[in-house]
Amino acid sequence: MLQVGPLKPSLEQTLADEYAARRLPEAAAEREAFLTEHGAEVCAVVTSGRTGVDAALMAALPNLGAVVNFGVGYDTTDVDAAAARGVGVSNTPDVLTDCVADTAVGLMIDTLRQFSAADRYVRAGRWPVDGSYPLTRQVSNTRVGIVGLGRIGSAIALRLSAFGCSISYHNRRQVAQSPYTYASSPVELARDVEVLVVAAAGGDGTRGLVDRAVLDALGADGYLINVARGSVVDQDALVSALVDGRLAGAGLDVFADEPQVPEVLVGLDNVVLLPHVASGTVQTRAAMEALTLRNLDAFLATGELVTPVR
């Protein structure tokens, strides 16, 4: 058993105590020596969406049978290389859907109403000096577009429908019997909404999907909310649009090069920045840990995974 990258501390402890898992060294020289000595012993890897297992690491683990991923995102694992080698890959879907959807709605409210910025305004003593905080944008009854109407996107749509928002979406394929309006491209979607929520899976297939053309279609009165992966949005184009005033604001839980955040965004009151915490509740992380271990146990007992990604 091999742990690749940092994990939830209690999961790391369980892997060490109950599965005698080793941890892959991070330093290149130590990592190479470890793989030379122990690579052939590894039958399963436990990792997360922030680290993953690339094709080179798989090649150094000739007897690898499964990559068990803590988290719903698995874009950092080369699933094509895994499939070619007969290696199963699992993730932890469903158990984090509600918390991520809650975060998306919270980010949207904070971004449009600027509650975080207003809090800073009060704390800085500006209210008695500068007067009332400037007016912000209403959340209810806005036109919202969702990029990626999967489990999480659907949960976001359900919540925003209760706010009286009109919902449209873009997916690789139209969702049968969906009550929401389908747009054939991200640009078409962005052109007709006030808020664009990104909930698509990461990976090469969606890299840069929300590009300058999409942001320009969203326009100077539009807002972007991203709870998916930083790679889905062209971050340079996003920063440029915010700095130039071609976008009204953004709520971001994810970034292109985490934990690095573009410094220019830190000084913008129309941007809300979160450190990738969408699923970060005690209940959800415990459920993710339990499902990770269920996948691991199932693989060790039967060779099958409970929630394979394909």
Side-chain angles (χ1 to χ4, degrees), residues 72 93-106 108 144-165 167-169 171 175 178-180 197-200 227 278 284:
V72 69
D94 296 319
V95 294
L96 47 64
T97 296
D98 284 336
C99 278
V100 176
D102 291 349
T103 300
V105 174
M108 179 175 161
V144 179
I146 299 176
V147 179
L149 197 71
R151 295 179 180 93
I152 293 172
S154 296
I156 294 169
L158 180 64
R159 284 157 172 75
L160 291 178
S161 294
F163 282 76
C165 297
I167 308 295
S168 53
Y169 74 97
N171 241 24
V175 178
S178 171
Y180 311 118
V197 180
V198 184
V227 292
T284 291

Side-chain angles (χ1 to χ4, degrees), residues 33-293:
F34 176 90
L35 291 172
T36 298
E37 183 176 357
H38 301 290
E41 302 169 10
V42 175
C43 68
V45 163
V46 181
T47 186
S48 74
R50 298 190 185 187
T51 308
V53 179
D54 59 20
L57 179 53
M58 287 183 205
L61 305 172
N63 294 309
L64 181 66
V67 175
V68 179
N69 189 68
F70 175 79
V72 69
Y74 54 88
D75 50 298
T76 51
T77 290
D78 191 328
V79 292
D80 292 330
R85 290 177 170 273
V87 175
V89 179
S90 68
N91 66 343
T92 56
D94 296 319
V95 294
L96 47 64
T97 296
D98 284 336
C99 278
V100 176
D102 291 349
T103 300
V105 174
L107 262 178
M108 179 175 161
I109 294 172
D110 196 351
T111 303
L112 271 66
R113 295 298 312 276
Q114 295 191 10
F115 288 150
S116 291
D119 175 85
R120 294 192 294 272
Y121 187 85
V122 172
R123 293 175 188 273
R126 294 182 59 189
W127 192 9
V129 177
D130 298 331
S132 298
Y133 191 81
L135 298 180
T136 58
R137 290 285 296 275
Q138 178 174 321
V139 173
S140 298
N141 306 310
T142 55
R143 290 174 284 114
V144 179
I146 299 176
V147 179
L149 197 71
R151 295 179 180 93
I152 293 172
S154 296
I156 294 169
L158 180 64
R159 284 157 172 75
L160 291 178
S161 294
F163 282 76
C165 297
S166 60
I167 308 295
S168 53
Y169 74 97
H170 170 72
N171 241 24
R172 285 176 294 183
R173 292 177 293 276
Q174 190 167 353
V175 178
Q177 299 181 330
S178 171
Y180 311 118
T181 303
Y182 177 70
S184 61
S185 72
V187 169
E188 178 187 334
L189 178 66
R191 187 180 295 124
D192 294 330
V193 301
E194 298 163 277
V195 182
L196 190 67
V197 180
V198 184
D204 291 339
T206 59
R207 191 173 304 280
L209 181 65
V210 177
D211 57 13
R212 175 165 183 152
V214 175
L215 297 173
D216 285 347
L218 188 55
D221 293 325
Y223 295 83
L224 179 80
I225 308 297
N226 190 3
V227 292
R229 280 289 186 265
S231 61
V232 182
V233 176
D234 182 334
Q235 185 165 281
D236 290 340
L238 174 61
V239 170
S240 175
L242 289 165
V243 170
D244 295 344
R246 292 182 288 106
L247 196 65
L252 308 172
D253 184 51
V254 290
F255 304 88
D257 184 26
E258 297 177 3
Q260 306 305 318
V261 176
E263 184 64 30
V264 67
L265 295 183
V266 176
L268 299 180
D269 277 341
N270 61 336
V271 180
V272 180
L273 307 170
L274 298 182
H276 203 148
V277 294
S279 65
T281 64
V282 172
Q283 297 90 336
T284 291
R285 291 293 168 84
M288 290 166 61
E289 179 175 346
L291 184 50
T292 298
L293 293 174

